[in-house]
């Protein structure tokens, strides 16, 4: 079997790696794959990389415009690679700006195989017209959250919610922790997975760390240079779950880490800063009260969000102090976290997703 997979996010690389690995196991190794992946996908012996994931790791409209020519060359390279490879299945993971165009171009060039969107666009908060594009060019979507599948289904898109893969990927927090003796409360900081995110968020987090009464651990992403974290102590280039399972509280840039914090039931403050033009465009185009998924799911601010100018050390510390000084309020938050976590489904999601893809492909062939 031949599968093409394309993602531009480290989280997508994580999910794609586990999914391809599980499909390969189900097929007893009879699997060939190519596409855009990151360090995890490249670990698969049967995966051939068309380009590195960093070539799609671009933040906002401004950066896309500045890199338009390079992105166009990358797009044509991927399109040609898929046509030469002739896969039975194309799996698109996140990165809708690139992947929706790829799906459309493949269909227009006569591609007859399955096109599956795993982690489809967040069209429920902006650019809802993308649902029509998916309906026309993709066979079905597989979502990470229950409400997303409902939303796509209501618009005529075949959609599956089979549980969140992180429940399979992340180990039990009681099993693995960062070694060391730390002063409590212990704060874990996650400044982001992209260079620009770290540049915006790390200085703020360092200010918070200087005022924090316990110890503070910082997460470093493997594909970013050490020089970006110059002056940071307690810097760990380890899987995020080790920091999450060890800490008491989380300070993180908006992203997948918010869901990971939910799984480990860690109270978190979410921040985000970006290029000012990108931020203004976001405010104009996006109709959503929250940016972090736990808040979106719950439809209320479970995790405090401090965006752009509000992402100041004083405001961040104030939010944490409300929990540190009010045990009853903290218990209410933890109870809501446990209830919300149950909506992520049961373990075994990766196997269920692999089964659906193989069954749908078998029925097609």
């Amino acid at each position: 079997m031949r599968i093409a997979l394309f993602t531009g996010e480290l989280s997508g690389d994580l999910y794609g790696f586990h999914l391809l690995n599980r499909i390969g196991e189900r097929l007893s190794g009879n699997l060939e794959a190519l596409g855009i992946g990151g360090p995890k996908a490249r670990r698969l012996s049967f995966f051939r990389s068309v380009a590195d994931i960093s070539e799609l790791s671009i933040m906002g409209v401004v950066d896309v415009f500045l890199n338009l020519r390079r992105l166009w060359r990358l797009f044509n390279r991927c399109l040609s690679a898929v046509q030469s490879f002739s896969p039975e299945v194309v799996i698109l993971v996140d990165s809708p700006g690139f992947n929706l165009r790829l799906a459309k171009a493949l269909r227009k060039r006569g591609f007859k195989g399955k096109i599956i969107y795993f982690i489809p666009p967040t069209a429920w908060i902006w650019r809802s017209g993308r649902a029509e594009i998916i309906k026309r060019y993709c066979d079905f979507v597989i979502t990470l959250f229950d409400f997303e599948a409902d939303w796509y289904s209501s618009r005529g898109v075949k959609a599956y919610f089979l549980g969140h893969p992180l429940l399979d990927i992340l180990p039990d927090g009681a099993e693995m922790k960062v070694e060391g003796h730390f002063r409590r409360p212990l704060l874990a900081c996650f400044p982001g997975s992209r260079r620009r995110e770290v540049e915006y968020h790390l200085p703020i987090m360092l200010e918070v760390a200087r005022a924090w009464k316990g110890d503070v651990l910082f997460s470093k992403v493997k594909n970013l240079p050490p020089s970006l974290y110059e002056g940071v102590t307690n810097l760990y280039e380890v899987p995020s779950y080790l920091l999450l399972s060890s800490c008491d509280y989380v300070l993180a840039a908006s992203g997948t880490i918010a869901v990971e914090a939910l799984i480990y039931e860690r109270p978190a403050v979410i921040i985000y800063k970006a290029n000012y033009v990108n931020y203004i465009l976001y405010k104009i185009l996006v109709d959503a009260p929250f940016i972090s998924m736990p808040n979106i799911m719950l439809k209320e601010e479970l995790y405090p969000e401090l965006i752009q100018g509000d992402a100041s050390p004083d405001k961040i510390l104030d939010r944490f102090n409300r929990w540190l000084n009010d045990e009853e309020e903290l218990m209410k938050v933890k109870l809501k976290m446990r209830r919300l976590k149950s909506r992520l489904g049961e373990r075994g999601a990766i196997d269920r997703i692999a089964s659906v893809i193989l069954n749908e492909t078998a029925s097609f062939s």
Side-chain angles (χ1 to χ4, degrees):
M1 184 177 186
R2 294 181 300 278
I3 294 177
L5 181 143
F6 294 91
T7 184
E9 305 285 344
L10 284 175
S11 57
D13 176 49
L14 175 68
Y15 300 139
F17 163 78
H18 284 280
L19 178 58
L20 288 179
N21 191 50
R22 186 59 53 86
I23 292 174
E25 291 173 352
R26 296 280 292 271
L27 295 175
S28 301
N30 186 27
L31 176 63
E32 297 177 67
L34 65 68
I36 296 180
K40 290 190 175 298
R42 290 197 302 271
R43 283 165 45 189
L44 297 168
S45 60
F46 54 78
F47 182 82
R48 178 161 57 88
S49 180
V50 177
D52 186 76
I53 194 172
S54 61
E55 295 193 50
L56 278 181
S57 294
I58 295 173
M59 287 177 62
V61 177
V62 174
D63 283 354
V64 170
F65 179 77
L66 294 174
N67 290 275
L68 202 55
R69 182 175 295 181
R70 180 178 62 78
L71 288 171
W72 184 246
R73 289 198 297 267
L74 174 63
F75 178 83
N76 284 326
R77 190 160 84 243
C78 292
L79 188 59
S80 297
V82 173
Q83 289 184 293
S84 298
F85 188 53
S86 297
E88 288 92 337
V89 183
V90 173
I91 302 175
L92 310 174
V93 187
D94 213 339
S95 305
F98 183 89
N99 279 333
L100 285 176
R101 288 178 175 82
L102 184 61
K104 183 177 180 179
L106 285 172
R107 289 300 190 211
K108 289 194 170 182
R109 293 198 180 189
F111 179 71
K112 301 298 183 183
K114 290 283 185 179
I115 299 181
I116 301 164
Y117 216 125
F118 178 36
I119 316 177
T122 54
W124 32 270
I125 60 171
W126 81 306
R127 301 186 70 174
S128 59
R130 283 176 163 175
E132 284 299 318
I133 298 173
I134 289 176
K135 182 179 178 180
R136 183 173 181 181
Y137 298 110
C138 299
D139 293 278
F140 60 91
V141 301
I142 300 172
T143 71
L144 297 184
F145 304 98
D146 51 6
F147 73 93
E148 292 181 301
D150 293 340
W151 187 89
Y152 273 104
S153 294
S154 71
R155 283 152 181 81
V157 178
K158 187 176 182 180
Y160 293 93
F161 168 66
L162 302 163
H164 203 296
L166 282 177
L167 295 172
D168 297 332
I169 296 168
L170 297 176
D172 185 342
E175 296 175 358
M176 306 179 72
K177 296 182 184 294
V178 174
E179 293 185 4
H181 299 284
F182 303 106
R183 292 177 300 141
R184 301 288 175 173
L186 183 60
L187 176 67
C189 292
F190 299 85
S193 60
R194 298 169 173 170
R195 173 184 283 271
R196 287 287 183 89
E197 289 177 331
V198 175
E199 289 172 345
Y200 278 116
H201 301 133
L202 187 58
I204 299 168
M205 293 180 174
L206 285 170
E207 287 293 319
V208 171
R210 292 186 186 103
W212 189 258
K213 293 181 180 179
D215 281 329
V216 181
L217 311 179
F218 286 86
S219 173
K220 179 192 176 298
V221 177
K222 287 186 178 180
N223 67 326
L224 295 179
S227 59
L228 198 58
Y229 302 84
E230 189 173 352
V232 179
T233 56
N234 289 336
L235 183 65
Y236 291 85
E237 190 177 293
V238 297
S240 57
Y241 61 76
L242 287 176
L243 300 185
L244 289 169
S245 62
S246 304
C247 73
D248 301 303
Y249 296 92
V250 172
L251 174 58
S254 179
T256 304
I257 193 66
V259 178
E260 294 185 29
L262 176 65
I263 290 172
Y264 284 102
E265 300 179 15
R266 295 299 189 262
V269 172
I270 305 300
I271 67 172
Y272 207 79
K273 294 193 75 170
N275 175 287
Y276 186 72
V277 175
N278 286 335
Y279 174 69
I280 294 299
L281 289 172
Y282 175 88
K283 293 293 289 183
I284 293 171
L285 297 172
V286 176
D287 181 23
F290 305 111
I291 63 169
S292 61
M293 187 53 69
N295 292 347
I296 292 170
M297 292 174 68
L298 195 60
K299 298 182 180 179
E300 66 176 82
E301 193 177 69
L302 174 67
Y303 288 167
E305 296 181 353
L306 297 170
I307 313 302
Q308 212 66 5
D310 286 332
S312 69
D314 287 344
K315 290 186 177 181
I316 293 168
L317 287 165
D318 177 66
R319 296 304 179 100
F320 279 122
N321 284 332
R322 295 182 194 182
W323 290 329
L324 290 166
N325 298 324
D326 190 338
E327 185 69 20
E328 184 178 348
E329 179 61 27
L330 181 59
M331 288 300 103
K332 288 179 182 178
V333 169
K334 289 185 175 181
L335 179 59
K336 288 182 179 179
M337 290 167 62
R338 291 189 195 103
R339 290 173 176 169
L340 186 59
K341 178 181 173 181
S342 67
R343 286 180 52 190
L344 297 178
E346 302 291 335
R347 288 183 177 272
I350 294 172
D351 198 55
R352 291 190 291 272
I353 293 168
S355 293
V356 164
I357 290 172
L358 290 171
N359 290 340
E360 291 276 359
T361 306
S363 64
F364 171 77
S365 57

